[in-house]
Amino acid sequence: GDVYKRQLLIFHIYFFYEYSRMMWLDLVKAKSEVFNLFQRFHAMVERQSGRLIKILRTDGGGEYISNEF
C-alpha cells in the first residue's frame, strides 16, 4: 500500500518569568494559538506569584503584534 507521510509543523513557545527565573515551554501547531496560550500563562503566573506581569518582551514575531496583544 501507499505510505502517507504526515508533516507536522510544530512551533515551540518559551515564556520566561524573570521574577522567579522560571521558564515554560509549550508546543503549538499554529502561531495563531499563541495569544490563547499567553492568556493562560499570564493568569497562572499572576495567580501563583501574586505579582503582575508588567513587561512583555518578544522576538518581534508576527504572532505578538496582533490587536489582541
Side-chain angles (χ1 to χ4, degrees):
D2 292 330
V3 176
Y4 293 96
K5 291 185 179 179
R6 185 174 165 186
Q7 182 180 10
L8 296 177
L9 296 176
I10 298 179
F11 300 96
H12 57 278
I13 306 295
Y14 291 95
F15 292 115
F16 181 75
Y17 187 46
E18 289 184 10
Y19 175 75
S20 66
R21 297 184 182 252
M22 293 189 71
M23 183 182 67
W24 291 263
L25 166 68
D26 217 325
L27 303 174
V28 294
K29 291 183 182 177
K31 290 184 177 185
S32 60
E33 298 175 48
V34 172
F35 181 68
N36 290 331
L37 183 63
F38 176 75
Q39 284 183 309
R40 290 196 323 260
F41 166 79
H42 182 261
M44 177 193 66
V45 165
E46 289 188 349
R47 185 176 54 252
Q48 289 181 3
S49 70
R51 295 182 171 267
L52 299 177
I53 294 177
K54 296 179 182 177
I55 298 172
L56 175 63
R57 295 182 190 163
T58 73
D59 63 357
E63 63 272 23
Y64 298 106
I65 59 172
S66 69
N67 289 336
E68 293 172 316
F69 268 97

